[in-house]
Amino acid sequence: MGRLMRVHDHQIAKAGCSTIALQCEAHARKAPSKGTTIMNMLSIWPTLVIIGVTILILSVKRVFSCLDTAPVAHQHRLDSIDGLRGILASAVVFHHFVMTAYNLKNRTSGLPPSPFYSFIGPGAVAVFFMITGYLFWGRLIDRQGNIKWLELYVNRAFRIYPLYLLLIVAYFIFVIRHVGIAATQTMGQTAAQLSQWLFFGIVNQPTPFLNRPEYLGLVGQTWSLHYEWLFYMALPLLAIVAREKATVAITASAFIFMLFGNAVITDLSVVFIEHFLIGMLTASLLRTYPKLKGNGAVRSFVAIVAGAFAILISGGPYTNLATVLLGISFFCIASGASAFGILTAAGTKRLGNISYSIYLLHGLIINLLMQFPRYNANLVFTTQRFWLVTFLTYGCIIAVSIATYYVIERGGINLGRRIIQNLPANATRSNSALAE
């Protein structure tokens, strides 16, 4: 249990919106504690309604068809996984927002007394890692480890970095605006901090800019990029294993080994390796036993129930039980379960297409909104106003994410493809299947 608490504390320190709490404490002291038995700050159903309404709005074809992407001609690429991304990114948003508002209103700290809101943020990131393991390990298997590595890494860099750079520059400006540029540290220290933050997200736990950790809420969610890059860097080594025929046995054995190792190795990385391995094992199983694929009510039901049990009975997002239950849910979805059509709806897939912007920018957007005193006051005043502010905030995040996806993300992807096409080995053909 002590280890789990340290893990939770790590998440809060990295991804919590500490700036918001500092700015709004005065309002929290004045806010009444009104609520109803039907709805309070930790109610689950308002979050589900907000996400559902957003999916319905995004389903309007004439308005949001610009968010559609060309169908991927790949037998193992499923709409359900693309739709899942949007749900996961939204879960991270509500985890951070509700946690921050609850602590603000009640003058507390840490996770709120809600298994749902405490779990959905880190649980969503765990499934994101599973998706990464599934997609890239699957490609290695399909191509017998024969990958054009320069193309892959150029694609990854131009997929991830343009939006990341926008966020980091905004973070620098935000901190300088609130702190000033007084010489509180040497030029060498400032340069070191700048380089850590600008280095593609690869550096683990960069030093807070100008040594002001209270502003990490703007960029706390970038911690997961470090582990994504570690996985990408491991792909050349994994490509050797992908040439073997017994990939199911290999990945299953590795996963079981890590489960046992989790009991004795108190490093957070072990848990994340388990998540990547679940995605890899899923890819191996579905390629070795294609009859496991399919949709249907039973498969969707199992996916939803396993995810719900992970929240309710696992004891935390980084326990072995939570990992296994989330793995069962992910396997069902990766094999074709649509969660009764929710994950394959047009609005859900469009939400998935902008999920990277949602995930990366929500901390910045929330902190910018918190610069307005009236916004702060309504956030902590009553339960009804809190959920109204939540709906408007989430809508603002979606609107900004649509714009950044269309301009920055797509622009970066297209630039990366043009660079690849101009490489000497690709003068006539680009291996664009490696780009997401």
mmCIF file of all heavy atoms in Angstrom, residues 75-123:
data_model
loop_
_atom_site.group_PDB
_atom_site.id
_atom_site.type_symbol
_atom_site.label_atom_id
_atom_site.label_comp_id
_atom_site.label_asym_id
_atom_site.label_seq_id
_atom_site.Cartn_x
_atom_site.Cartn_y
_atom_site.Cartn_z
ATOM 1 N N GLN A 75 -5.556 -4.710 -41.877
ATOM 2 C CA GLN A 75 -6.544 -5.641 -41.347
ATOM 3 C C GLN A 75 -6.597 -5.649 -39.825
ATOM 4 O O GLN A 75 -7.576 -6.098 -39.237
ATOM 5 C CB GLN A 75 -6.219 -7.055 -41.845
ATOM 6 C CG GLN A 75 -4.843 -7.575 -41.410
ATOM 7 C CD GLN A 75 -4.600 -9.000 -41.823
ATOM 8 O OE1 GLN A 75 -5.539 -9.780 -41.903
ATOM 9 N NE2 GLN A 75 -3.341 -9.353 -42.090
ATOM 10 N N HIS A 76 -5.553 -5.151 -39.159
ATOM 11 C CA HIS A 76 -5.533 -5.177 -37.694
ATOM 12 C C HIS A 76 -5.822 -3.806 -37.080
ATOM 13 O O HIS A 76 -5.777 -3.666 -35.869
ATOM 14 C CB HIS A 76 -4.168 -5.686 -37.202
ATOM 15 C CG HIS A 76 -3.852 -7.078 -37.651
ATOM 16 N ND1 HIS A 76 -4.507 -8.186 -37.165
ATOM 17 C CD2 HIS A 76 -2.961 -7.532 -38.571
ATOM 18 C CE1 HIS A 76 -4.011 -9.277 -37.743
ATOM 19 N NE2 HIS A 76 -3.082 -8.908 -38.599
ATOM 20 N N ARG A 77 -6.096 -2.808 -37.915
ATOM 21 C CA ARG A 77 -6.399 -1.471 -37.396
ATOM 22 C C ARG A 77 -7.906 -1.331 -37.279
ATOM 23 O O ARG A 77 -8.628 -1.434 -38.261
ATOM 24 C CB ARG A 77 -5.841 -0.401 -38.330
ATOM 25 C CG ARG A 77 -6.002 1.028 -37.800
ATOM 26 C CD ARG A 77 -5.227 1.216 -36.510
ATOM 27 N NE ARG A 77 -5.334 2.561 -36.023
ATOM 28 C CZ ARG A 77 -4.429 3.511 -36.267
ATOM 29 N NH1 ARG A 77 -3.377 3.238 -37.006
ATOM 30 N NH2 ARG A 77 -4.565 4.716 -35.770
ATOM 31 N N LEU A 78 -8.400 -1.109 -36.071
ATOM 32 C CA LEU A 78 -9.833 -1.110 -35.817
ATOM 33 C C LEU A 78 -10.324 0.271 -35.417
ATOM 34 O O LEU A 78 -9.639 1.011 -34.707
ATOM 35 C CB LEU A 78 -10.172 -2.123 -34.715
ATOM 36 C CG LEU A 78 -9.837 -3.589 -35.013
ATOM 37 C CD1 LEU A 78 -10.056 -4.428 -33.774
ATOM 38 C CD2 LEU A 78 -10.685 -4.101 -36.155
ATOM 39 N N ASP A 79 -11.546 0.602 -35.859
ATOM 40 C CA ASP A 79 -12.162 1.857 -35.455
ATOM 41 C C ASP A 79 -12.361 1.922 -33.947
ATOM 42 O O ASP A 79 -12.345 3.004 -33.359
ATOM 43 C CB ASP A 79 -13.505 2.030 -36.163
ATOM 44 C CG ASP A 79 -13.343 2.302 -37.652
ATOM 45 O OD1 ASP A 79 -12.243 2.723 -38.054
ATOM 46 O OD2 ASP A 79 -14.314 2.084 -38.399
ATOM 47 N N SER A 80 -12.566 0.771 -33.311
ATOM 48 C CA SER A 80 -12.820 0.766 -31.871
ATOM 49 C C SER A 80 -11.622 1.303 -31.094
ATOM 50 O O SER A 80 -11.794 1.996 -30.080
ATOM 51 C CB SER A 80 -13.162 -0.650 -31.397
ATOM 52 O OG SER A 80 -12.137 -1.564 -31.741
ATOM 53 N N ILE A 81 -10.412 1.017 -31.541
ATOM 54 C CA ILE A 81 -9.227 1.535 -30.858
ATOM 55 C C ILE A 81 -9.107 3.037 -31.086
ATOM 56 O O ILE A 81 -8.778 3.796 -30.162
ATOM 57 C CB ILE A 81 -7.961 0.803 -31.335
ATOM 58 C CG1 ILE A 81 -7.954 -0.617 -30.770
ATOM 59 C CG2 ILE A 81 -6.704 1.554 -30.898
ATOM 60 C CD1 ILE A 81 -6.718 -1.410 -31.103
ATOM 61 N N ASP A 82 -9.366 3.494 -32.309
ATOM 62 C CA ASP A 82 -9.327 4.936 -32.572
ATOM 63 C C ASP A 82 -10.356 5.673 -31.714
ATOM 64 O O ASP A 82 -10.082 6.749 -31.177
ATOM 65 C CB ASP A 82 -9.588 5.204 -34.054
ATOM 66 C CG ASP A 82 -8.449 4.689 -34.937
ATOM 67 O OD1 ASP A 82 -7.312 4.654 -34.446
ATOM 68 O OD2 ASP A 82 -8.716 4.332 -36.089
ATOM 69 N N GLY A 83 -11.547 5.104 -31.580
ATOM 70 C CA GLY A 83 -12.554 5.714 -30.730
ATOM 71 C C GLY A 83 -12.170 5.676 -29.267
ATOM 72 O O GLY A 83 -12.453 6.614 -28.507
ATOM 73 N N LEU A 84 -11.499 4.601 -28.862
ATOM 74 C CA LEU A 84 -11.079 4.471 -27.467
ATOM 75 C C LEU A 84 -10.147 5.592 -27.055
ATOM 76 O O LEU A 84 -10.188 6.054 -25.907
ATOM 77 C CB LEU A 84 -10.400 3.110 -27.272
ATOM 78 C CG LEU A 84 -9.876 2.788 -25.876
ATOM 79 C CD1 LEU A 84 -11.011 2.748 -24.857
ATOM 80 C CD2 LEU A 84 -9.119 1.456 -25.884
ATOM 81 N N ARG A 85 -9.308 6.058 -27.960
ATOM 82 C CA ARG A 85 -8.367 7.130 -27.624
ATOM 83 C C ARG A 85 -9.089 8.379 -27.098
ATOM 84 O O ARG A 85 -8.632 9.017 -26.138
ATOM 85 C CB ARG A 85 -7.557 7.522 -28.857
ATOM 86 C CG ARG A 85 -6.629 6.474 -29.419
ATOM 87 C CD ARG A 85 -5.982 7.046 -30.671
ATOM 88 N NE ARG A 85 -5.304 6.074 -31.490
ATOM 89 C CZ ARG A 85 -3.997 5.843 -31.457
ATOM 90 N NH1 ARG A 85 -3.243 6.499 -30.605
ATOM 91 N NH2 ARG A 85 -3.452 4.958 -32.265
ATOM 92 N N GLY A 86 -10.191 8.739 -27.751
ATOM 93 C CA GLY A 86 -10.908 9.933 -27.330
ATOM 94 C C GLY A 86 -11.491 9.795 -25.938
ATOM 95 O O GLY A 86 -11.479 10.752 -25.151
ATOM 96 N N ILE A 87 -12.020 8.604 -25.618
ATOM 97 C CA ILE A 87 -12.555 8.362 -24.272
ATOM 98 C C ILE A 87 -11.442 8.441 -23.240
ATOM 99 O O ILE A 87 -11.612 9.015 -22.155
ATOM 100 C CB ILE A 87 -13.244 6.982 -24.222
ATOM 101 C CG1 ILE A 87 -14.365 6.880 -25.281
ATOM 102 C CG2 ILE A 87 -13.795 6.725 -22.829
ATOM 103 C CD1 ILE A 87 -15.478 7.863 -25.091
ATOM 104 N N LEU A 88 -10.285 7.873 -23.559
ATOM 105 C CA LEU A 88 -9.163 7.868 -22.617
ATOM 106 C C LEU A 88 -8.654 9.285 -22.357
ATOM 107 O O LEU A 88 -8.399 9.663 -21.207
ATOM 108 C CB LEU A 88 -8.032 6.996 -23.170
ATOM 109 C CG LEU A 88 -8.336 5.512 -23.348
ATOM 110 C CD1 LEU A 88 -7.155 4.801 -23.993
ATOM 111 C CD2 LEU A 88 -8.695 4.851 -22.023
ATOM 112 N N ALA A 89 -8.472 10.069 -23.420
ATOM 113 C CA ALA A 89 -8.000 11.442 -23.239
ATOM 114 C C ALA A 89 -8.986 12.254 -22.414
ATOM 115 O O ALA A 89 -8.595 13.053 -21.548
ATOM 116 C CB ALA A 89 -7.776 12.099 -24.606
ATOM 117 N N SER A 90 -10.272 12.054 -22.646
ATOM 118 C CA SER A 90 -11.292 12.756 -21.862
ATOM 119 C C SER A 90 -11.249 12.325 -20.400
ATOM 120 O O SER A 90 -11.456 13.146 -19.495
ATOM 121 C CB SER A 90 -12.679 12.479 -22.456
ATOM 122 O OG SER A 90 -12.767 12.954 -23.781
ATOM 123 N N ALA A 91 -10.977 11.057 -20.150
ATOM 124 C CA ALA A 91 -10.874 10.566 -18.776
ATOM 125 C C ALA A 91 -9.756 11.281 -18.028
ATOM 126 O O ALA A 91 -9.904 11.629 -16.844
ATOM 127 C CB ALA A 91 -10.640 9.052 -18.778
ATOM 128 N N VAL A 92 -8.631 11.516 -18.703
ATOM 129 C CA VAL A 92 -7.529 12.232 -18.064
ATOM 130 C C VAL A 92 -7.950 13.660 -17.720
ATOM 131 O O VAL A 92 -7.638 14.175 -16.638
ATOM 132 C CB VAL A 92 -6.291 12.236 -18.980
ATOM 133 C CG1 VAL A 92 -5.172 13.075 -18.369
ATOM 134 C CG2 VAL A 92 -5.798 10.814 -19.227
ATOM 135 N N VAL A 93 -8.680 14.299 -18.622
ATOM 136 C CA VAL A 93 -9.153 15.664 -18.371
ATOM 137 C C VAL A 93 -10.028 15.713 -17.124
ATOM 138 O O VAL A 93 -9.814 16.547 -16.225
ATOM 139 C CB VAL A 93 -9.932 16.202 -19.592
ATOM 140 C CG1 VAL A 93 -10.575 17.547 -19.257
ATOM 141 C CG2 VAL A 93 -9.025 16.340 -20.801
ATOM 142 N N PHE A 94 -11.022 14.829 -17.045
ATOM 143 C CA PHE A 94 -11.946 14.864 -15.907
ATOM 144 C C PHE A 94 -11.258 14.441 -14.613
ATOM 145 O O PHE A 94 -11.608 14.929 -13.529
ATOM 146 C CB PHE A 94 -13.160 13.980 -16.199
ATOM 147 C CG PHE A 94 -14.136 14.613 -17.151
ATOM 148 C CD1 PHE A 94 -14.111 14.319 -18.510
ATOM 149 C CD2 PHE A 94 -15.063 15.534 -16.702
ATOM 150 C CE1 PHE A 94 -14.996 14.916 -19.388
ATOM 151 C CE2 PHE A 94 -15.954 16.149 -17.570
ATOM 152 C CZ PHE A 94 -15.922 15.835 -18.922
ATOM 153 N N HIS A 95 -10.305 13.538 -14.699
ATOM 154 C CA HIS A 95 -9.521 13.166 -13.512
ATOM 155 C C HIS A 95 -8.837 14.393 -12.915
ATOM 156 O O HIS A 95 -8.963 14.671 -11.721
ATOM 157 C CB HIS A 95 -8.488 12.104 -13.902
ATOM 158 C CG HIS A 95 -7.395 11.904 -12.893
ATOM 159 N ND1 HIS A 95 -7.594 11.222 -11.708
ATOM 160 C CD2 HIS A 95 -6.098 12.302 -12.886
ATOM 161 C CE1 HIS A 95 -6.463 11.187 -11.018
ATOM 162 N NE2 HIS A 95 -5.539 11.847 -11.707
ATOM 163 N N HIS A 96 -8.126 15.133 -13.750
ATOM 164 C CA HIS A 96 -7.387 16.294 -13.255
ATOM 165 C C HIS A 96 -8.320 17.412 -12.809
ATOM 166 O O HIS A 96 -8.110 18.047 -11.764
ATOM 167 C CB HIS A 96 -6.449 16.816 -14.353
ATOM 168 C CG HIS A 96 -5.276 15.932 -14.608
ATOM 169 N ND1 HIS A 96 -4.626 15.884 -15.823
ATOM 170 C CD2 HIS A 96 -4.643 15.050 -13.803
ATOM 171 C CE1 HIS A 96 -3.632 15.019 -15.749
ATOM 172 N NE2 HIS A 96 -3.634 14.493 -14.545
ATOM 173 N N PHE A 97 -9.363 17.666 -13.591
ATOM 174 C CA PHE A 97 -10.232 18.800 -13.308
ATOM 175 C C PHE A 97 -11.034 18.580 -12.027
ATOM 176 O O PHE A 97 -11.103 19.462 -11.164
ATOM 177 C CB PHE A 97 -11.171 19.042 -14.488
ATOM 178 C CG PHE A 97 -11.885 20.354 -14.420
ATOM 179 C CD1 PHE A 97 -11.244 21.521 -14.765
ATOM 180 C CD2 PHE A 97 -13.215 20.421 -14.013
ATOM 181 C CE1 PHE A 97 -11.904 22.745 -14.703
ATOM 182 C CE2 PHE A 97 -13.878 21.631 -13.945
ATOM 183 C CZ PHE A 97 -13.220 22.800 -14.291
ATOM 184 N N VAL A 98 -11.650 17.409 -11.893
ATOM 185 C CA VAL A 98 -12.456 17.134 -10.704
ATOM 186 C C VAL A 98 -11.570 17.059 -9.463
ATOM 187 O O VAL A 98 -11.937 17.572 -8.389
ATOM 188 C CB VAL A 98 -13.256 15.828 -10.892
ATOM 189 C CG1 VAL A 98 -13.951 15.430 -9.600
ATOM 190 C CG2 VAL A 98 -14.290 16.003 -12.009
ATOM 191 N N MET A 99 -10.403 16.430 -9.574
ATOM 192 C CA MET A 99 -9.493 16.348 -8.436
ATOM 193 C C MET A 99 -9.090 17.737 -7.957
ATOM 194 O O MET A 99 -9.106 18.025 -6.749
ATOM 195 C CB MET A 99 -8.250 15.543 -8.813
ATOM 196 C CG MET A 99 -7.200 15.460 -7.718
ATOM 197 S SD MET A 99 -5.783 14.434 -8.188
ATOM 198 C CE MET A 99 -5.084 15.427 -9.522
ATOM 199 N N THR A 100 -8.742 18.601 -8.901
ATOM 200 C CA THR A 100 -8.313 19.946 -8.537
ATOM 201 C C THR A 100 -9.449 20.740 -7.900
ATOM 202 O O THR A 100 -9.270 21.402 -6.872
ATOM 203 C CB THR A 100 -7.798 20.684 -9.780
ATOM 204 O OG1 THR A 100 -6.697 19.966 -10.332
ATOM 205 C CG2 THR A 100 -7.363 22.095 -9.431
ATOM 206 N N ALA A 101 -10.631 20.688 -8.502
ATOM 207 C CA ALA A 101 -11.761 21.453 -7.976
ATOM 208 C C ALA A 101 -12.184 20.953 -6.594
ATOM 209 O O ALA A 101 -12.512 21.756 -5.707
ATOM 210 C CB ALA A 101 -12.932 21.372 -8.953
ATOM 211 N N TYR A 102 -12.174 19.633 -6.413
ATOM 212 C CA TYR A 102 -12.554 19.088 -5.110
ATOM 213 C C TYR A 102 -11.580 19.547 -4.028
ATOM 214 O O TYR A 102 -11.993 19.980 -2.934
ATOM 215 C CB TYR A 102 -12.590 17.566 -5.174
ATOM 216 C CG TYR A 102 -12.981 16.918 -3.853
ATOM 217 C CD1 TYR A 102 -14.313 16.717 -3.544
ATOM 218 C CD2 TYR A 102 -12.022 16.554 -2.924
ATOM 219 C CE1 TYR A 102 -14.682 16.153 -2.338
ATOM 220 C CE2 TYR A 102 -12.376 15.990 -1.709
ATOM 221 C CZ TYR A 102 -13.708 15.789 -1.418
ATOM 222 O OH TYR A 102 -14.058 15.239 -0.215
ATOM 223 N N ASN A 103 -10.297 19.455 -4.298
ATOM 224 C CA ASN A 103 -9.301 19.888 -3.318
ATOM 225 C C ASN A 103 -9.387 21.379 -3.059
ATOM 226 O O ASN A 103 -9.183 21.847 -1.933
ATOM 227 C CB ASN A 103 -7.900 19.522 -3.801
ATOM 228 C CG ASN A 103 -7.636 18.035 -3.741
ATOM 229 O OD1 ASN A 103 -8.216 17.319 -2.928
ATOM 230 N ND2 ASN A 103 -6.763 17.539 -4.614
ATOM 231 N N LEU A 104 -9.694 22.125 -4.106
ATOM 232 C CA LEU A 104 -9.837 23.569 -3.971
ATOM 233 C C LEU A 104 -11.015 23.918 -3.060
ATOM 234 O O LEU A 104 -10.898 24.755 -2.154
ATOM 235 C CB LEU A 104 -10.045 24.165 -5.362
ATOM 236 C CG LEU A 104 -10.108 25.679 -5.510
ATOM 237 C CD1 LEU A 104 -8.783 26.302 -5.169
ATOM 238 C CD2 LEU A 104 -10.509 26.024 -6.931
ATOM 239 N N LYS A 105 -12.125 23.268 -3.284
ATOM 240 C CA LYS A 105 -13.340 23.570 -2.527
ATOM 241 C C LYS A 105 -13.231 23.136 -1.066
ATOM 242 O O LYS A 105 -13.719 23.811 -0.159
ATOM 243 C CB LYS A 105 -14.531 22.875 -3.182
ATOM 244 C CG LYS A 105 -15.896 23.279 -2.604
ATOM 245 C CD LYS A 105 -17.002 22.597 -3.356
ATOM 246 C CE LYS A 105 -18.379 23.037 -2.842
ATOM 247 N NZ LYS A 105 -18.674 24.444 -3.170
ATOM 248 N N ASN A 106 -12.576 21.996 -0.842
ATOM 249 C CA ASN A 106 -12.514 21.433 0.512
ATOM 250 C C ASN A 106 -11.194 21.688 1.230
ATOM 251 O O ASN A 106 -10.988 21.191 2.328
ATOM 252 C CB ASN A 106 -12.770 19.926 0.430
ATOM 253 C CG ASN A 106 -14.158 19.587 -0.057
ATOM 254 O OD1 ASN A 106 -15.125 19.630 0.693
ATOM 255 N ND2 ASN A 106 -14.276 19.253 -1.347
ATOM 256 N N ARG A 107 -10.309 22.451 0.573
ATOM 257 C CA ARG A 107 -8.999 22.785 1.136
ATOM 258 C C ARG A 107 -8.254 21.520 1.563
ATOM 259 O O ARG A 107 -7.719 21.422 2.665
ATOM 260 C CB ARG A 107 -9.154 23.766 2.303
ATOM 261 C CG ARG A 107 -9.551 25.170 1.858
ATOM 262 C CD ARG A 107 -9.691 26.113 3.010
ATOM 263 N NE ARG A 107 -10.897 25.841 3.792
ATOM 264 C CZ ARG A 107 -11.225 26.451 4.916
ATOM 265 N NH1 ARG A 107 -10.409 27.363 5.422
ATOM 266 N NH2 ARG A 107 -12.339 26.158 5.544
ATOM 267 N N THR A 108 -8.234 20.550 0.654
ATOM 268 C CA THR A 108 -7.521 19.298 0.884
ATOM 269 C C THR A 108 -6.458 19.152 -0.199
ATOM 270 O O THR A 108 -6.246 20.042 -1.014
ATOM 271 C CB THR A 108 -8.495 18.106 0.829
ATOM 272 O OG1 THR A 108 -9.190 18.128 -0.434
ATOM 273 C CG2 THR A 108 -9.508 18.187 1.954
ATOM 274 N N SER A 109 -5.798 18.014 -0.215
ATOM 275 C CA SER A 109 -4.813 17.729 -1.242
ATOM 276 C C SER A 109 -4.840 16.239 -1.552
ATOM 277 O O SER A 109 -5.376 15.446 -0.789
ATOM 278 C CB SER A 109 -3.405 18.141 -0.787
ATOM 279 O OG SER A 109 -3.029 17.403 0.372
ATOM 280 N N GLY A 110 -4.293 15.881 -2.669
ATOM 281 C CA GLY A 110 -4.258 14.476 -3.054
ATOM 282 C C GLY A 110 -5.491 14.064 -3.834
ATOM 283 O O GLY A 110 -6.264 14.891 -4.325
ATOM 284 N N LEU A 111 -5.692 12.758 -3.931
ATOM 285 C CA LEU A 111 -6.812 12.219 -4.697
ATOM 286 C C LEU A 111 -8.127 12.416 -3.966
ATOM 287 O O LEU A 111 -8.173 12.336 -2.737
ATOM 288 C CB LEU A 111 -6.589 10.729 -4.963
ATOM 289 C CG LEU A 111 -5.374 10.380 -5.826
ATOM 290 C CD1 LEU A 111 -5.138 8.884 -5.825
ATOM 291 C CD2 LEU A 111 -5.578 10.884 -7.247
ATOM 292 N N PRO A 112 -9.212 12.658 -4.678
ATOM 293 C CA PRO A 112 -10.519 12.821 -4.030
ATOM 294 C C PRO A 112 -11.046 11.472 -3.543
ATOM 295 O O PRO A 112 -10.610 10.418 -4.016
ATOM 296 C CB PRO A 112 -11.398 13.374 -5.156
ATOM 297 C CG PRO A 112 -10.777 12.830 -6.399
ATOM 298 C CD PRO A 112 -9.300 12.797 -6.149
ATOM 299 N N PRO A 113 -11.974 11.474 -2.590
ATOM 300 C CA PRO A 113 -12.535 10.210 -2.080
ATOM 301 C C PRO A 113 -13.529 9.600 -3.064
ATOM 302 O O PRO A 113 -14.700 9.381 -2.745
ATOM 303 C CB PRO A 113 -13.217 10.647 -0.781
ATOM 304 C CG PRO A 113 -13.625 12.062 -1.032
ATOM 305 C CD PRO A 113 -12.524 12.648 -1.879
ATOM 306 N N SER A 114 -13.054 9.303 -4.254
ATOM 307 C CA SER A 114 -13.882 8.720 -5.307
ATOM 308 C C SER A 114 -13.035 7.731 -6.079
ATOM 309 O O SER A 114 -12.079 8.133 -6.768
ATOM 310 C CB SER A 114 -14.403 9.811 -6.256
ATOM 311 O OG SER A 114 -14.911 9.238 -7.453
ATOM 312 N N PRO A 115 -13.329 6.433 -5.993
ATOM 313 C CA PRO A 115 -12.560 5.454 -6.778
ATOM 314 C C PRO A 115 -12.583 5.768 -8.268
ATOM 315 O O PRO A 115 -11.591 5.546 -8.970
ATOM 316 C CB PRO A 115 -13.267 4.130 -6.466
ATOM 317 C CG PRO A 115 -13.945 4.343 -5.157
ATOM 318 C CD PRO A 115 -14.358 5.792 -5.147
ATOM 319 N N PHE A 116 -13.690 6.294 -8.746
ATOM 320 C CA PHE A 116 -13.823 6.578 -10.180
ATOM 321 C C PHE A 116 -12.859 7.677 -10.607
ATOM 322 O O PHE A 116 -12.043 7.485 -11.521
ATOM 323 C CB PHE A 116 -15.266 6.978 -10.486
ATOM 324 C CG PHE A 116 -15.512 7.315 -11.934
ATOM 325 C CD1 PHE A 116 -15.671 6.315 -12.866
ATOM 326 C CD2 PHE A 116 -15.596 8.639 -12.350
ATOM 327 C CE1 PHE A 116 -15.899 6.615 -14.216
ATOM 328 C CE2 PHE A 116 -15.828 8.952 -13.684
ATOM 329 C CZ PHE A 116 -15.981 7.934 -14.613
ATOM 330 N N TYR A 117 -12.932 8.850 -9.978
ATOM 331 C CA TYR A 117 -12.105 9.972 -10.404
ATOM 332 C C TYR A 117 -10.643 9.800 -10.015
ATOM 333 O O TYR A 117 -9.754 10.381 -10.646
ATOM 334 C CB TYR A 117 -12.671 11.281 -9.854
ATOM 335 C CG TYR A 117 -13.941 11.691 -10.536
ATOM 336 C CD1 TYR A 117 -15.175 11.618 -9.878
ATOM 337 C CD2 TYR A 117 -13.943 12.102 -11.863
ATOM 338 C CE1 TYR A 117 -16.354 11.968 -10.516
ATOM 339 C CE2 TYR A 117 -15.114 12.456 -12.512
ATOM 340 C CZ TYR A 117 -16.313 12.383 -11.837
ATOM 341 O OH TYR A 117 -17.479 12.713 -12.491
ATOM 342 N N SER A 118 -10.359 9.010 -8.997
ATOM 343 C CA SER A 118 -8.968 8.728 -8.649
ATOM 344 C C SER A 118 -8.315 7.796 -9.658
ATOM 345 O O SER A 118 -7.107 7.856 -9.891
ATOM 346 C CB SER A 118 -8.893 8.096 -7.251
ATOM 347 O OG SER A 118 -9.366 8.981 -6.275
ATOM 348 N N PHE A 119 -9.119 6.946 -10.279
ATOM 349 C CA PHE A 119 -8.598 5.879 -11.130
ATOM 350 C C PHE A 119 -8.508 6.273 -12.604
ATOM 351 O O PHE A 119 -7.559 5.887 -13.295
ATOM 352 C CB PHE A 119 -9.500 4.643 -10.998
ATOM 353 C CG PHE A 119 -8.977 3.410 -11.688
ATOM 354 C CD1 PHE A 119 -8.331 2.425 -10.958
ATOM 355 C CD2 PHE A 119 -9.157 3.218 -13.049
ATOM 356 C CE1 PHE A 119 -7.849 1.284 -11.582
ATOM 357 C CE2 PHE A 119 -8.679 2.085 -13.685
ATOM 358 C CZ PHE A 119 -8.023 1.113 -12.946
ATOM 359 N N ILE A 120 -9.494 7.015 -13.113
ATOM 360 C CA ILE A 120 -9.642 7.134 -14.564
ATOM 361 C C ILE A 120 -8.468 7.832 -15.245
ATOM 362 O O ILE A 120 -8.172 7.537 -16.413
ATOM 363 C CB ILE A 120 -10.962 7.842 -14.932
ATOM 364 C CG1 ILE A 120 -11.028 9.248 -14.302
ATOM 365 C CG2 ILE A 120 -12.153 7.007 -14.516
ATOM 366 C CD1 ILE A 120 -12.244 10.055 -14.781
ATOM 367 N N GLY A 121 -7.767 8.721 -14.555
ATOM 368 C CA GLY A 121 -6.629 9.387 -15.176
ATOM 369 C C GLY A 121 -5.458 8.447 -15.416
ATOM 370 O O GLY A 121 -5.079 8.180 -16.560
ATOM 371 N N PRO A 122 -4.852 7.924 -14.341
ATOM 372 C CA PRO A 122 -3.744 6.979 -14.541
ATOM 373 C C PRO A 122 -4.181 5.707 -15.244
ATOM 374 O O PRO A 122 -3.406 5.116 -16.000
ATOM 375 C CB PRO A 122 -3.254 6.695 -13.115
ATOM 376 C CG PRO A 122 -4.348 7.134 -12.213
ATOM 377 C CD PRO A 122 -5.058 8.241 -12.918
ATOM 378 N N GLY A 123 -5.421 5.265 -15.031
ATOM 379 C CA GLY A 123 -5.910 4.093 -15.748
ATOM 380 C C GLY A 123 -5.961 4.329 -17.240
ATOM 381 O O GLY A 123 -5.647 3.440 -18.041
#
